[in-house]
Amino acid sequence: MIYPLLNLQSRFAHVVLADGDAPQRDIACSLLSHAEQLVCCDRAALTAYKRGLRPAAIVGDGDSIPDELRKRFASLWHPIAEQDSNDLTKATRWMMALPSFRQSADKTICYLGATGKREDHTIANISLMAYYKDEFGLNPIMVTDHGWFVALHGNATLAVFPHQQVSIFNFSCHQLSANGLRWKPWAFERLWCGSLNEALGTHVDLEADGTYLVFRTFDGKDKEPM
């Protein structure tokens, strides 16, 4: 499967907005504003409201949603009290239950606002992308203002551009290799080992026998600020 680059024309029908750093990058903002079905995690509904968006649902344990917003969107508010999963997973399960998602052959969910603020939330949310791939059969993509994560299992081809920064985070691969990167990856045993690689051309071919995450930056290394 080929995983394309993201740009201002990219669209994802099903989007989950979390209450981390609100999207500011033009691509991330475009993905949010063009979502056909938007599910917000608790207080993230405030971000949607300020941007003139109406979510399909607001899901979470209710510990951060303002009372005024809860009243305004009472018909959309779906509290889930259990604490075995975080709000991102609760919103994901809600999205998966929507008829539009169940009937779609595309099991992609785009996640926005899922990083920033508390570091423990950021690490947990990023790692959940691999969990959603393995346990839910989803094709999750997490977009930030700096780039985007995709959760992959097995072989894949990534569209890239020269000097794009590419990081690989291994979760369950015993074998992992790639063509098209400056440094040859392997089945890293530590998460940091596969970070900060660099694309040489227009595509990267990955061969793997397990699940892993890939992060691609929006800007190439030569465009990074000093």
Side-chain angles (χ1 to χ4, degrees):
M1 181 174 180
I2 299 177
Y3 292 82
L5 293 168
L6 293 187
N7 54 44
L8 285 172
Q9 285 69 52
S10 299
R11 299 287 184 268
F12 296 103
H14 299 94
V15 174
V16 169
L17 178 64
D19 189 34
D21 288 343
Q24 301 297 326
R25 179 95 183 202
D26 51 0
I27 293 177
C29 291
S30 176
L31 293 173
L32 177 60
S33 63
H34 287 93
E36 295 177 17
Q37 295 286 352
L38 174 65
V39 174
C40 294
C41 301
D42 264 9
R43 188 180 173 83
L46 186 59
T47 298
Y49 174 67
K50 288 180 177 179
R51 300 191 184 194
L53 303 173
R54 183 178 177 85
I58 304 169
V59 180
D61 56 18
D63 63 350
S64 63
I65 187 170
D67 288 338
E68 179 183 351
L69 200 65
R70 194 196 312 259
K71 293 176 182 178
R72 181 182 295 272
F73 292 124
S75 62
L76 306 178
W77 167 233
H78 303 280
I80 302 175
E82 59 90 359
Q83 295 297 307
D84 292 333
S85 58
N86 68 0
D87 285 349
L88 198 74
T89 301
K90 293 170 185 175
T92 296
R93 290 193 177 111
W94 191 270
M95 181 72 81
M96 292 169 62
L98 290 175
S100 63
F101 189 84
R102 295 201 311 269
Q103 295 166 10
S104 175
D106 182 7
K107 299 306 179 185
T108 300
I109 296 179
C110 175
Y111 296 86
L112 300 170
T115 62
K117 295 184 178 177
R118 279 179 49 178
E119 288 81 1
D120 53 346
H121 285 181
T122 293
I123 293 173
N125 287 344
I126 292 172
S127 66
L128 279 169
M129 298 299 99
Y131 177 79
Y132 297 161
K133 181 72 172 180
D134 288 341
E135 299 299 321
F136 297 164
L138 299 178
N139 295 315
I141 177 169
M142 179 185 288
V143 182
T144 75
D145 286 336
H146 304 286
W148 69 103
F149 290 92
V150 290
L152 306 172
H153 186 93
N155 299 346
T157 296
L158 308 177
V160 294
F161 56 83
H163 306 300
Q164 184 179 28
Q165 301 295 279
V166 179
S167 294
I168 302 172
F169 301 95
N170 181 27
F171 279 75
S172 65
C173 297
H174 298 288
Q175 296 181 1
L176 192 155
S177 63
N179 291 315
L181 294 173
R182 182 171 298 278
W183 296 282
K184 294 294 184 182
W186 67 95
F188 313 107
E189 295 182 358
R190 306 288 184 181
L191 285 178
W192 60 269
C193 291
S195 63
L196 309 180
N197 212 322
E198 185 174 335
L200 299 176
T202 59
H203 68 278
V204 171
D205 294 317
L206 290 150
E207 293 187 2
D209 63 355
T211 299
Y212 53 104
L213 299 183
V214 175
F215 183 81
R216 283 171 285 173
T217 57
F218 286 122
D219 298 323
K221 187 174 183 179
D222 57 343
K223 293 184 179 181
E224 290 183 353
M226 299 297 291

